[in-house]
Amino acid sequence: MNNTLTLYELNNLVRQALELTMYDQFWVCAEISDLRDSHHCYMELVQKDESGNSLKAKARAQIWANKWAVIRPKFERATRQALSNGMQVLVKVEITFHELYGFSLNIVDIDPTYTLGDIAKRKEDILRQLKEEGVDNMNKELPLPRNLQRIAVISSASAAGYGDFCNQLNSNKRCLAFKTKLFSATMQGEDVERTIIDALNRIAAELDDWDAVVIIRGGGATSDLSGFDKLLLAEYVAQFPLPVITGIGHERDDTVIDLISHTRVKTPTAAAEFLIHHQEEELDMVEDFSARLTNVACAMLDSESARLKLMTSKLPLLFATSKANANLRISRISADMARASIQMIERARNATTILEGTLKMTSLIAVDKEKQRIELAHNKIESASPERILRLGFSIARINGKAIQSTDEVKEGDEIETTLANGIIKSKVL
């Protein structure tokens, strides 16, 4: 057959056609996938459908070393983040086709303002959804316990920030005692959300043992902060029944969980200082109250001692007068002593009444606070229930009874069971 071509000849024709017709450079918006950063930077650019579940287009792309050396620092200075999987980018590309390696895109520039806008939009979308769910301020509204000593810490065991936190907490000048326990999690990369949620679940299993949760990480690259801007993690933090204090380690960047946690501080060291200061204020209050009680008691003793001395000083006069006068004085002094005794008893009774009223009022206030705390915890439990989450439009997909957390866990032929608010759908992966 005269029109028969070899595969190489066909691919060569395709390459020539592309070079002749598509020699210009194009700005293309896409999402980064399968990023590999070495001497050169390799990735896949993808476009998903509106649901975000299926791919509409995909292409291999690369940034050669000479361009990568310029593009990378420029992008990171502007966005304070490194290129990463899942990031939306606007890239300037050249179309290439190789007879052996096929179609690909050479990236010659990246517009950081597009990515900055996408990052800001994602944060706004998450915060708006939390507000619509009515949970955006739930953690902020929790009262800090007056005795804030038992602290559950979420961090990486090897992180310098965790060591700084522990050193600062344990070396406080007033020798305040704190009980801490590390619930280890990944503080950078793609596992941040999953491991922090796992740590929160472990803390929830022993909720009565802790007064607050501290989530900390040290400095490092700002690019590692993307894991703290995830919707599911934000929902967990916002609805967690203990106050959550964040010290993520970046003054310039507010992550989503910084914005919805009970208290946000700048660094792990600042988190420790916050706890120390809180306990110092409570200790100062107790010491001041103790000093005031001591002063009142001493004043009462001094007053009664002076009265007793005055009465005692009158006794020698009895022996300098006649018996009649002596009897009269004795009667008067006895009457005075009786009145004094009655007055002392009356003062004691009044003090007891006041103290009883104060204790009763304090008890009522404490009971009311505890009722409020229990009611708030009940509301949080209700809002975080699986049934409510399903009613909001979420679903749970399982394979063999195990929840699916990543598309990597699913392969062709798997049978999937999807739980919705009003029933279960069974499907098969094609």
Side-chain angles (χ1 to χ4, degrees):
M1 299 177 64
N2 294 330
N3 61 347
T4 300
L5 298 172
T6 65
L7 178 60
Y8 176 83
E9 289 171 336
L10 177 62
N11 284 354
N12 184 261
L13 286 175
V14 172
R15 178 177 63 79
Q16 292 179 40
L18 286 173
E19 289 176 352
L20 288 172
T21 59
M22 302 191 73
Y23 51 83
D24 289 335
Q25 295 179 338
F26 301 87
W27 283 101
V28 178
C29 55
E31 178 182 319
I32 293 176
S33 175
D34 194 23
L35 180 72
R36 289 163 289 143
D37 179 9
S38 57
H39 183 58
H40 308 289
C41 182
Y42 301 96
M43 69 187 76
E44 283 190 343
L45 296 178
V46 301
Q47 180 182 350
K48 297 178 180 177
D49 62 12
E50 293 182 358
S51 68
N53 296 323
S54 301
L55 292 181
K56 293 177 65 177
K58 179 171 67 172
R60 288 189 300 110
Q62 58 275 328
I63 310 175
W64 301 121
N66 60 331
K67 291 290 186 181
W68 186 227
V70 176
I71 292 174
R72 179 176 185 170
K74 171 189 170 184
F75 183 85
E76 291 182 358
R77 278 196 303 270
T79 64
R80 299 200 297 273
Q81 296 201 34
L83 288 175
S84 60
N85 291 326
M87 183 176 284
Q88 294 289 333
V89 290
L90 180 61
V91 293
K92 193 174 187 179
V93 301
E94 298 172 337
I95 297 173
T96 66
F97 190 90
H98 189 276
E99 289 82 356
L100 179 60
Y101 302 110
F103 178 84
S104 67
L105 302 172
N106 283 338
I107 297 175
V108 296
D109 198 7
I110 301 179
D111 183 358
T113 57
Y114 179 87
T115 302
L116 280 172
D118 181 68
I119 293 170
K121 182 178 180 301
R122 288 190 183 190
K123 287 185 179 181
E124 290 174 2
D125 289 344
I126 291 173
L127 293 171
R128 182 173 59 254
Q129 183 162 343
L130 293 174
K131 187 172 184 178
E132 290 173 355
E133 293 174 5
V135 301
D136 55 322
N137 285 321
M138 285 181 68
N139 200 261
K140 293 181 181 297
E141 293 169 354
L142 292 175
L144 273 178
R146 295 189 62 176
N147 191 20
L148 194 59
Q149 291 180 296
R150 305 173 303 164
I151 312 300
V153 184
I154 298 178
S155 184
S156 170
S158 60
Y162 173 60
D164 293 340
F165 172 82
C166 292
N167 290 336
Q168 185 74 15
L169 202 63
N170 295 326
S171 60
N172 66 87
K173 295 180 180 179
R174 297 179 72 171
C175 299
L176 298 168
F178 292 91
K179 171 191 173 184
T180 63
K181 178 180 176 180
L182 175 65
F183 292 81
S184 185
T186 301
M187 291 290 109
Q188 63 183 43
E190 297 181 358
D191 290 333
V192 169
E193 180 182 38
R194 179 182 60 80
T195 58
I196 292 181
I197 288 175
D198 178 66
L200 288 171
N201 285 332
R202 283 181 280 142
I203 295 170
E206 44 190 78
L207 200 63
D208 292 338
D209 295 337
W210 308 107
D211 301 318
V213 177
V214 172
I215 302 176
I216 52 175
R217 77 183 289 273
T222 310
S223 59
D224 298 329
L225 296 178
S226 59
F228 298 94
D229 294 327
K230 303 293 185 180
L231 175 61
L232 186 59
L233 175 59
E235 288 176 327
Y236 263 80
V237 172
Q239 300 177 81
F240 202 72
L242 293 177
V244 177
I245 301 163
T246 57
I248 305 300
H250 282 268
E251 297 184 28
R252 299 175 297 175
D253 303 278
D254 289 324
T255 66
V256 170
I257 67 167
D258 281 325
L259 297 173
I260 53 89
S261 65
H262 185 282
T263 302
R264 186 253 174 157
V265 294
K266 295 177 180 179
T267 63
T269 300
E273 290 172 349
F274 173 82
L275 296 171
I276 293 169
H277 179 68
H278 181 276
Q279 288 305 94
E280 285 179 337
E281 287 187 334
E282 290 300 317
L283 181 59
D284 289 341
M285 187 182 301
V286 171
E287 290 178 345
D288 178 65
F289 186 67
S290 177
R292 287 164 59 189
L293 282 178
T294 301
N295 291 336
V296 170
C298 289
M300 291 180 66
L301 287 173
D302 289 343
S303 175
E304 296 307 318
S305 178
R307 289 174 58 82
L308 183 60
K309 286 181 180 179
L310 179 63
M311 293 169 62
T312 303
S313 66
K314 295 178 180 181
L315 291 177
L317 296 176
L318 295 175
F319 300 99
T321 58
S322 63
K323 287 184 178 181
N325 289 338
N327 290 333
L328 180 60
R329 286 184 174 275
I330 289 172
S331 298
R332 289 175 178 173
I333 291 173
S334 298
D336 288 344
M337 294 181 69
R339 282 194 298 272
S341 299
I342 291 171
Q343 289 173 357
M344 289 178 66
I345 293 170
E346 190 63 29
R347 287 194 194 97
R349 184 181 291 113
N350 291 338
T352 301
T353 302
I354 292 171
L355 181 59
E356 181 181 356
T358 302
L359 289 174
K360 185 178 294 183
M361 184 177 297
T362 303
S363 300
L364 290 173
I365 291 173
V367 169
D368 286 341
K369 285 185 176 180
E370 189 63 20
K371 285 181 178 178
Q372 292 174 7
R373 190 184 73 82
I374 292 171
E375 183 177 352
L376 184 59
H378 176 73
N379 292 338
K380 293 182 187 305
I381 292 170
E382 286 292 325
S383 66
S385 68
E387 292 79 8
R388 180 178 179 274
I389 298 300
L390 290 174
R391 288 198 301 273
L392 290 174
F394 293 94
S395 63
I396 303 172
R398 296 184 174 90
I399 295 179
N400 297 325
K402 181 181 178 182
I404 302 171
Q405 296 183 340
S406 169
T407 56
D408 295 337
E409 300 176 21
V410 182
K411 64 181 183 296
E412 185 176 341
D414 283 343
E415 292 187 356
I416 297 177
E417 184 179 88
T418 305
T419 302
L420 305 173
N422 63 347
I424 295 174
I425 299 174
K426 293 185 179 181
S427 57
K428 189 172 184 179
V429 179
L430 300 178

